[in-house]
Amino acid sequence: MTTTTATAPVVKHKKKLGAGTFWTVVAWVVGIGFFFPVLWMVVTSFKQEGDAYSDPPKLFFTPTLDQYSAVLSSGIGTALLNSAFATIVSTLLVLLLGIPAAFALSLRPVKKTKDVLFFFISTKMLPVVAAIVPLYVIVGDIGLLDNIWALIILYTAMNLPIAVWMMRSFFLEVPSELLEAASMDGASLWTSVREVILPLVSPGIAATALICVIFSWNEFFFAVNLTAVQAQTVPVALVGFITGEGLYWARLSAAATLAALPVILAGWIAQNKLVRGLSFGAIK
């Protein structure tokens, strides 16, 4: 009887260990499945066009940087700078406007907060294709066609509702007693926010900023309709590699790799705060 009782926990432990190993393998398989297209894109970017078109695909080939040289010489550098400028400036504007708004709707709520929140999110319910004609007319009337500032304004308006909702959820996780304690110590509201609140929600700010960066960097519809040459962004420039002669897979893969690299680096640099921000408040 004693032996049976002693072996029961061991059997349960082995079952849990086996289940954990199984789900670990499943997670790795799913992760590799999602990552494989990106890996294949990077590998293809180092091939010659003949190797990229081979059937079956060549796994062993002589790597070359010819495709990257061709892409850089095609003028994609200007598009990269335009995308970087529009993304950085619009993200900073979103944080500058969204953090005070989210703070006012959480720790310092205003009247009819729910109506305000619904108004913010309702702006995302209108299909962008339904607004492109009036936007085109307005942008043309104010002389901002093919101007990067038109995209900055639109990207700010596009990301601001999401940022307010995200930041509000992070602010709600901060105990209101912290503000009261800081106020009792003689700190002003601005000092309390700067010294107490913002350091606590900095992971949430990082997560919100990265979401805005991804949305702005990858935005295509506004850019393709409101820009031509001077304000062309990376997603629009990538379309130029699709020609009537066919698809240049290796060159397109090189261009796509260059386009994806800044966002991947931003996510890698901010990964610690990003994970903390996305799980903010999940564990108390």
Side-chain angles (χ1 to χ4, degrees), residues 18 98 140 176:
S176 59

Side-chain angles (χ1 to χ4, degrees), residues 127-138 154 221-226:
V128 292
V129 68
I132 190 60
V133 173
L135 283 175
Y136 186 90
V137 173
I138 294 172
L154 290 173
F221 190 77
F222 288 139
V224 76
N225 285 284
L226 300 178

Side-chain angles (χ1 to χ4, degrees), residues 173-198:
E173 299 297 331
V174 178
S176 59
E177 290 79 5
L178 290 177
L179 276 178
E180 296 176 1
S183 178
M184 292 179 64
D185 290 340
S188 63
L189 179 60
W190 168 242
T191 302
S192 301
V193 172
R194 188 181 70 248
E195 302 294 338
V196 179
I197 305 300
L198 290 183

Side-chain angles (χ1 to χ4, degrees), residues 124-262:
K124 300 296 294 180
M125 299 177 184
L126 177 68
V128 292
V129 68
I132 190 60
V133 173
L135 283 175
Y136 186 90
V137 173
I138 294 172
V139 171
D141 288 342
I142 62 178
L144 289 181
L145 281 177
D146 200 16
N147 190 308
I148 197 64
W149 285 102
L151 295 182
I152 290 173
I153 295 171
L154 290 173
Y155 291 171
T156 302
M158 175 183 71
N159 291 326
L160 187 57
I162 300 174
V164 170
W165 274 75
M166 288 184 65
M167 287 306 306
R168 179 177 179 270
S169 65
F170 299 135
F171 278 124
L172 288 175
E173 299 297 331
V174 178
S176 59
E177 290 79 5
L178 290 177
L179 276 178
E180 296 176 1
S183 178
M184 292 179 64
D185 290 340
S188 63
L189 179 60
W190 168 242
T191 302
S192 301
V193 172
R194 188 181 70 248
E195 302 294 338
V196 179
I197 305 300
L198 290 183
L200 290 176
V201 298
S202 59
I205 295 175
T208 303
L210 187 58
I211 293 296
C212 294
V213 166
I214 293 172
F215 286 170
S216 298
W217 186 270
N218 294 332
E219 199 282 324
F220 175 77
F221 190 77
F222 288 139
V224 76
N225 285 284
L226 300 178
T227 67
V229 178
Q230 295 181 1
Q232 188 181 73
T233 58
V234 170
V236 180
L238 290 179
V239 179
F241 292 95
I242 303 175
T243 65
E245 301 173 359
L247 293 177
Y248 292 90
W249 287 111
R251 189 171 302 180
L252 183 59
S253 296
T257 301
L258 289 176
L261 190 59

Side-chain angles (χ1 to χ4, degrees), residues 44-49 52-53 67 248-255:
T44 304
S45 68
F46 291 100
K47 293 181 178 180
Q48 297 288 355
E49 291 296 342
Y53 270 101
Q67 308 306 329
Y248 292 90
W249 287 111
R251 189 171 302 180
L252 183 59
S253 296

